[in-house]
Amino acid sequence: MKRLTIGFCAMAVLMLTSCFGSKVASGNGGELTGSGGRAFSEPAPYGMVLVKRGHLKMGLEQQDSLWGKQTPVRDISVDGFWIDDTEITNSEYRQFVNYVRDSILRERLADPNYGGDETYKIEEDKNGEPIKPHLNWKKALPRKPNEDELRAIESLYVTNPVTGEKMLDASQMNYKYEIYDYTTAALRRNRLNPEERNLNTDIPVDENEKVWISKDTAYINDEGKIIRETLNRELSGPWDFLNTYIINIYPDTTCWVNDFPNADNEVYMRNYFSNSSYNDYPVVGVTWEQANAFCAWRTEYLLKGLGPAARFVQRYRLPTEAEWEYAARGKDGTEFPWENEDVANGKGCFYANFKPDDGNYTKDGNLITSKVGIYSANSNGLYDMAGNVAEWTSTIFTEAGVDAMNDVNPQLKYNAAKEDPYRLKKKSVRGGSWKDPESYIRSAWRSSEFQNQPRSYIGFRCVRSLANTVSEKTRPGKTSKKK
């Protein structure tokens, strides 16, 4: 018996040595030398540039001459992050819509009601053991569909009552995703162990103390409607911090006629998102909720291609209000995303797409939005941080602004429940747009919109925190889009 024990111990030591190295066993004189490991080198995200950590005086330092409005000013510091060099375009957002369309189609092709081809959905491993079901993206969609497959394909389309053409049924383009709220889970008041909730040892531990948390969940009912609920429940386990969302992700193309009554903008409603001529224009008609869904999908899409390294990569998300202003001001913290306070150069060429005069939208060369990246980039290599379309941030809008935030990586975040008062659903919007005057396109100017409201002048771009914030080596983004 003793031999077996010694043999087992020797085998365990051998395994540990082979897995973790033999620095201790090799003799280090009993000195503290640290535990090594293989460093993760984060790949440069395509189409993004690195904004290095730094400091800025956030807000308008002088009282606004147009509205007499005071904007809070504060010195803050932010860590480095990746940010899209342009706003998300129609073409890029359409890739998201097509992904959702094809995922729904694969689900239906695997459904017995549409032929039941199980190879479109993997539910078992190679040994026949059940696993978490997932779609098989390696299997191509049918080029010559049979009768059942054709029914599955046609179920995603509707017929235009006027022209008779087949159109994608936008009401079915629902994307389901899950987000684990690590921050809320980490709060001491939400610990499962009552002894960890209060570090004050003078206060007796209440073993029967109940902790209540809010959890977002969503499902589709029998009528095909998305039902969103915020559950207030007693904490029972770590999975209570997993939130589920189902979002219809098709842009609201009617925003062009709803934003501008008594105007003939039907041509944009019918063409702006679907016509390939607008591929490189910023997507609009996207709500804050849809922009967040895009970030979740973009993360999912990235992680599928990274393999084991995926656990180190941070999620795509909307920028905080502070990150957005810091990135827009550039390396010198300027009022506009360019060096001087003028909005045009000596030859009368404008630096951004906005409304220079009352009613004269075309003075800068554009009527509505423009292609992304046709104006010069700021010193961070970012295009259209002023004008073109205003941009969603992740920050809730309050009049207090930065005064209510921390001075390091500031953020005010609130995921409004469906039943919350509508006033709590305002999000901060930055940058001004093609329809705004000069005052609104300054980097520090703050505006707001409700999170479920699509607009023809609001778009977004994504950011990603650095996987390794200690090392900030500059990496290139896309080839310059300036024309």
Side-chain angles (χ1 to χ4, degrees), residues 85-86 89 92 372-374 383 478-483:
D85 60 357
T86 72
T89 64
E92 290 168 331
V372 298
I374 64 172
Y383 299 88
K478 275 183 238 175
T479 302
S480 173
K481 298 175 184 174
K482 182 182 174 184
K483 296 181 180 178

Side-chain angles (χ1 to χ4, degrees), residues 166 268 364 370 392 427:
K166 295 288 185 179
Y268 308 135
D364 61 1
S370 60
W392 290 111
K427 305 301 180 185

